[in-house]
Amino acid sequence: MTDHSLLFEPIRMGDLTLPNRVLMAPLTRNRSQGDGTPREWAETYYRQRASAGLIFSEATQISDMGKGYLDTPGIYTQAHVDGWKKVVDAVHAGGGRIFCQLWHVGRISHVSLLPEGKQPVSASAIQADAQTYTANGFEQVSEPVALDADGIAKTIADFHTAAECAKRAGFDGIEVHAANGYLLDQFLQDGVNKRDDNYGGSIENRMRLLSEVLDTVSQVYPEERIGVRLSPLGQAGDISDSNPEKLFSAVYQKLSERDLAYLHVVEAFPGSDGDSEAQALIRRLREQYDGFYIANGGYDAESAVSEIDGWNIDAVTFGRSFIANPDLPERYRRDAKLNKPDQDTFYGGDEKGYTDYPFLDDRH
Ligand SMILES: Cc1cc2nc3c(=O)[nH]c(=O)nc-3n(C[C@H](O)[C@H](O)[C@H](O)COP(=O)(O)O)c2cc1C
């Protein structure tokens, strides 16, 4: 039996002690009510996974303009707070901890998902070659408009409100979603950010929106309860940068100046495993961040143990394996067989493929 005990050494992250390093990745499941309030199923789903060292909620939009897919949850109304509070309480009752992933999709949206059929917003008016899921199935995302100064101020204020709502719901912390080609990533990367004001051009300027968002949410949560998610390989949402290493070195260094809980990095996307050049870049970048580092993408228990042991990562988030294995830590502890995730039920639907994956000792 492979020794996975390293995964079960408790670790300090900010002022929290995580009982293990098997963390649950943020996973959009498109099962919320139309207004963005989580359904009761979500309480069961998250409580079932409370043995994770830490749970990251599915991406949760900070405003109605931040929405980009059908039936994703929000965190900006009283109904959202009430719905999420039940989820958070269920996780806490199960002995777990949960951070809320705060999300604005930017240009990865469709007019049919936005209030009064508005166009999505972005750093610049450049339509993505990407699809989203609407009431009519998969559709090309709509053409965006560039945020003006008022729009940027409003977006920052929306992040503040969302952080307050997350706090009222009892979330242990928040994750600012700056990965996967969504709004904050659209400002970072110059394939999309063509602005000529102080939010575009130089790397310093392109990092400004992320910095201002962190400034505002840290008025609500202490920095040691705030983390950031980045995806420097830029493989989602038609995002690109002319010099990713230069950009992300600067971002990692800038984030190191704060006392954040962690940096959470999508190191590989499904299908990209084994790209050694990309992995070398990820490791060079890691050296630029001074703080708690959470790795994600294509890990299993073996690679998590060997990477935690072999170089400088602190914990790992598991995505698809947590969908299919509510008791993933226990399975890793016992080196037990894993359930296989059913891709057909990842996005949307009901409790099938959501709350019905079996536990090892199926008592739940
Ligand atoms: C069904 C599904 C939904 C996802 N939703 C999100 C999300 O809401 N926010 C996010 O940052 N990443 C999301 N991701 C990416 C995962 O967090 C993770 O980066 C990816 O699954 C790779 O990790 P894994 O190899 O352990 O599955 C999603 C992935 C999947 C498969």
Side-chain angles (χ1 to χ4, degrees), residues 142-153:
S142 304
E143 199 180 324
V145 293
L147 275 172
D148 60 13
D150 286 349
I152 288 179

Side-chain angles (χ1 to χ4, degrees), residues 25-28 58-59 101 177 180 229 266 268 270 296-299 317-320 323 346-347:
L27 294 158
T28 291
E58 63 209 269
Q101 189 184 50
H177 193 351
N180 297 353
R229 193 171 216 220
V266 185
N296 167 259
Y299 280 88
T317 48
F318 298 88
R320 289 160 294 168
I323 288 180
F346 276 4
Y347 304 107

Side-chain angles (χ1 to χ4, degrees), residues 33-84:
Q33 299 176 46
D35 73 342
T37 303
R39 286 182 203 276
E40 270 174 43
W41 308 326
E43 293 165 43
T44 309
Y45 166 75
Y46 282 107
R47 180 181 41 73
Q48 287 176 335
R49 289 157 180 78
S51 65
L54 177 64
I55 294 174
F56 294 98
S57 80
E58 63 209 269
T60 302
Q61 61 257 2
I62 58 154
S63 65
D64 50 12
M65 284 304 292
K67 178 175 176 174
Y69 301 83
L70 198 66
D71 296 337
T72 52
I75 185 77
Y76 53 94
T77 69
Q78 188 57 45
H80 299 156
V81 171
D82 295 343
W84 275 117

Side-chain angles (χ1 to χ4, degrees), residues 89-295:
D89 288 349
V91 170
H92 288 163
R97 294 139 299 279
I98 180 166
F99 275 37
C100 185
Q101 189 184 50
L102 300 185
W103 189 33
H104 191 307
V105 297
R107 66 179 188 160
I108 307 296
S109 189
H110 188 268
V111 288
S112 68
L113 297 164
L114 297 174
E116 298 137 33
K118 279 191 189 144
Q119 282 177 268
V121 298
S122 185
S124 301
I126 303 171
Q127 190 171 12
D129 180 11
Q131 291 200 322
T132 184
Y133 194 75
T134 72
N136 295 321
F138 283 102
E139 290 196 76
Q140 168 73 29
V141 298
S142 304
E143 199 180 324
V145 293
L147 275 172
D148 60 13
D150 286 349
I152 288 179
K154 169 86 172 70
T155 303
I156 294 169
D158 288 340
F159 268 100
H160 188 96
T161 304
E164 283 180 337
C165 288
K167 191 148 196 207
R168 289 199 343 253
F171 279 104
D172 298 292
I174 50 176
E175 168 160 293
V176 172
H177 193 351
N180 297 353
Y182 296 117
L183 182 71
L184 296 172
D185 209 9
Q186 292 158 30
F187 272 76
L188 289 176
Q189 304 211 34
D190 64 11
V192 183
N193 187 338
K194 308 287 185 195
R195 303 176 73 92
D196 55 13
D197 62 2
N198 55 1
Y199 291 91
S202 68
I203 288 178
E204 193 63 27
N205 280 352
R206 285 186 271 136
M207 292 192 295
R208 192 175 309 283
L209 182 58
L210 174 59
S211 292
E212 292 182 354
V213 166
L214 288 170
D215 287 344
T216 197
V217 296
S218 58
Q219 291 166 10
V220 181
Y221 278 91
E223 282 194 332
E224 62 184 350
R225 295 296 185 101
I226 299 170
V228 174
R229 193 171 216 220
L230 296 172
S231 53
L233 301 180
Q235 292 162 316
D238 190 25
I239 199 87
S240 65
D241 192 81
S242 57
N243 192 339
E245 182 154 11
K246 192 165 171 219
L247 168 65
F248 283 98
S249 294
V251 177
Y252 281 36
Q253 287 167 19
K254 184 98 181 155
L255 294 177
S256 301
E257 291 167 12
R258 297 178 184 262
D259 282 321
L260 295 172
Y262 63 85
L263 175 64
H264 184 183
V265 177
V266 185
E267 299 181 338
F269 282 81
S272 70
D273 307 355
D275 179 345
S276 56
E277 218 169 287
Q279 290 317 302
L281 168 62
I282 287 292
R283 286 178 183 226
R284 284 198 301 279
L285 285 174
R286 197 278 168 257
E287 301 309 319
Q288 308 298 314
Y289 183 67
D290 180 15
F292 195 99
Y293 181 93
I294 303 174

